[in-house]
Amino acid sequence: MKNMTNYELNSALERKRKKRKKKRTIRMVLLTSVVLLISFIGIKNVINKRKLLVKNNISTTYAGSKENIQESKNNQENKVDNNVNENLNNNKNDKNDKNDIKNESKNNKNFTKGIVMSVDKIWSKEDKRKVAFLTFDDGPSPHTPYILDILKKYDIKATFFVLGTSAKNYPEFLKKEVELGHSIGNHTYSHKIRYSGAYTPEAFVQDVKRCDNAIKEVLGQDFKTNLVRFPGGSFNHKSYETALLNSGFKHIDWNVENGDARRLNVPKEELINNVKEEIAGHNKVVILMHDSATKETTVQALPEIIEYLKSQGFEFGIISQNN
């Protein structure tokens, strides 16, 4: 090698490097092949074992599936049975509810065979019975349910003169008044009390008709009442009264009032005393009270007013809504 030129020496070294590189490549290929072969054998064994497990467990799995199917079927049948029973119970409850409604309607019908008087007959002097007509203006209101509860406790019916605006605000209370057999009257839609100027007799009648429509929107188009009470009373409003009568309506005022409209928050005792004083000398008393949000003491006084009227020999009646 001493006699070799540089070129020959470099060529010999290059051949040796290539030879070593080739050997390393061959060893790497062999090693990789061995690893791949081992991995393949291992994977195949795993697959075979899994196939064996699946084969051994297939009957168990089928049995389990069959049990699950049967359980699901049983659960479904139980669910159906429960639904059927529930529906039967619901039908039974519905039937009971309908019977309750039917009985309540029957009671209301029986009441109409009692003291229900038309506007014209209330003031007749021929009937000597002592009858009190409890009337409530301006409702329904948040106090209506409490008034209805008191009346129900005493088994008394009353007459409610409804405002059109209140009917729209508390339709459910208006429906309850009818369901419980109370009489419904019209108290106009807007409760105007100045019967002059642009509020002509014709405009008044239109206000009454607008209230009638509001009542029908709640109670249905078949509901009829031609009973009206003037806001503030019909006193000295002859032309308005004539226009109303010509339109097929009848009205009624009052001859006793509890005084709850005189100011706000009239004490309960004062309301009771007003009624006691004003019923003197009357056989038929149409008592003016109010069912509005500012009349809480009216509700408070109502039981004692009823008790006093009973103690004086009064029966209770309603004013016919179809005169």
Side-chain angles (χ1 to χ4, degrees):
M1 294 198 49
K2 289 181 180 181
N3 296 324
M4 286 183 181
T5 63
N6 288 335
Y7 173 78
E8 292 174 337
L9 180 61
N10 290 334
S11 295
L13 292 173
E14 182 64 25
R15 286 194 296 272
K16 287 183 179 181
R17 281 195 298 269
K18 287 182 179 181
K19 189 177 182 179
R20 286 196 297 270
K21 184 177 180 181
K22 186 178 181 179
K23 290 180 178 180
R24 285 198 301 271
T25 301
I26 293 171
R27 286 197 298 270
M28 183 63 68
V29 170
L30 292 173
L31 180 60
T32 302
S33 299
V34 172
V35 171
L36 290 174
L37 180 60
I38 294 172
S39 299
F40 175 76
I41 294 172
I43 292 171
K44 189 174 182 179
N45 290 335
V46 170
I47 292 173
N48 290 334
K49 287 181 180 179
R50 288 185 178 179
K51 286 182 178 180
L52 182 61
L53 288 172
V54 170
K55 185 176 181 180
N56 291 335
N57 292 331
I58 190 167
S59 57
T60 305
T61 302
Y62 173 77
S65 298
K66 190 174 180 181
E67 290 176 359
N68 290 336
I69 292 171
Q70 185 62 39
E71 183 179 359
S72 177
K73 184 178 179 181
N74 293 337
N75 289 337
Q76 187 67 25
E77 290 176 351
N78 291 334
K79 185 176 181 181
V80 170
D81 291 340
N82 291 335
N83 288 338
V84 169
N85 291 332
E86 184 177 355
N87 289 334
L88 289 173
N89 291 331
N90 288 338
N91 290 336
K92 185 177 180 180
N93 292 334
D94 289 343
K95 187 175 181 180
N96 291 334
D97 291 341
K98 290 179 180 178
N99 288 334
D100 291 341
I101 293 172
K102 185 176 180 180
N103 291 334
E104 185 175 1
S105 299
K106 184 178 179 180
N107 292 335
N108 292 339
K109 186 175 181 181
N110 289 337
F111 180 80
T112 61
K113 297 177 182 178
I115 303 178
V116 181
M117 300 186 71
S118 66
V119 168
D120 297 328
K121 290 184 178 180
I122 286 177
W123 306 125
S124 172
K125 295 182 180 180
E126 296 178 0
D127 189 345
K128 302 300 182 181
R129 290 178 297 173
K130 298 182 72 173
V131 184
F133 299 89
L134 305 179
T135 69
F136 298 88
D137 290 8
D138 297 351
S141 80
H143 293 310
T144 303
Y146 303 103
I147 293 173
L148 294 177
D149 284 345
I150 293 170
L151 295 173
K152 186 174 183 180
K153 175 183 176 182
Y154 285 97
D155 194 22
I156 291 173
K157 310 299 180 185
T159 306
F160 291 86
F161 289 94
V162 174
L163 276 178
T165 52
S166 298
K168 286 182 173 292
N169 290 333
Y170 302 98
E172 67 279 11
F173 297 158
L174 175 56
K175 290 178 182 178
K176 193 65 178 179
E177 290 171 353
V178 174
E179 288 173 6
L180 293 176
H182 301 288
S183 184
I184 303 299
N186 185 318
H187 198 42
T188 76
Y189 188 87
S190 55
H191 200 274
K192 295 180 180 178
I193 59 175
R194 289 192 177 185
Y195 298 90
S196 62
Y199 196 55
T200 62
E202 292 73 21
F204 167 68
V205 171
Q206 290 303 314
D207 204 19
V208 169
K209 290 181 177 179
R210 188 182 179 192
C211 179
D212 187 59
N213 289 333
I215 292 173
K216 283 182 166 62
E217 286 177 5
V218 176
L219 300 177
Q221 295 302 313
D222 293 336
F223 183 84
K224 295 180 180 179
T225 178
N226 67 344
L227 177 63
V228 174
R229 173 168 283 165
F230 281 62
S234 67
F235 314 106
N236 301 318
H237 302 309
K238 190 64 179 179
S239 60
Y240 292 82
E241 182 180 359
T242 301
L244 185 69
L245 293 173
N246 290 340
S247 298
F249 295 93
K250 287 199 174 183
H251 70 94
I252 189 167
D253 292 317
W254 57 90
N255 61 351
V256 174
E257 57 181 310
N258 68 352
D260 60 0
R262 297 171 186 173
R263 64 184 189 280
L264 293 177
N265 300 316
V266 180
K268 179 183 77 170
E269 292 75 16
E270 185 176 334
L271 300 177
I272 297 168
N273 289 332
N274 287 337
V275 173
K276 288 181 177 181
E277 292 174 3
E278 294 192 15
I279 67 171
H282 296 293
N283 283 338
K284 304 292 188 301
V285 292
V286 178
I287 304 174
L288 171 64
M289 295 175 281
H290 290 83
D291 174 17
S292 60
T294 60
K295 307 302 178 186
E296 183 177 357
T297 56
T298 297
V299 181
Q300 296 171 358
L302 183 58
E304 292 186 48
I305 289 173
I306 291 172
E307 292 285 359
Y308 182 77
L309 290 168
K310 290 175 67 176
S311 72
Q312 299 302 303
F314 281 93
E315 300 177 81
F316 295 87
I318 59 174
I319 306 168
S320 174
Q321 61 192 29
N322 296 297
N323 291 275

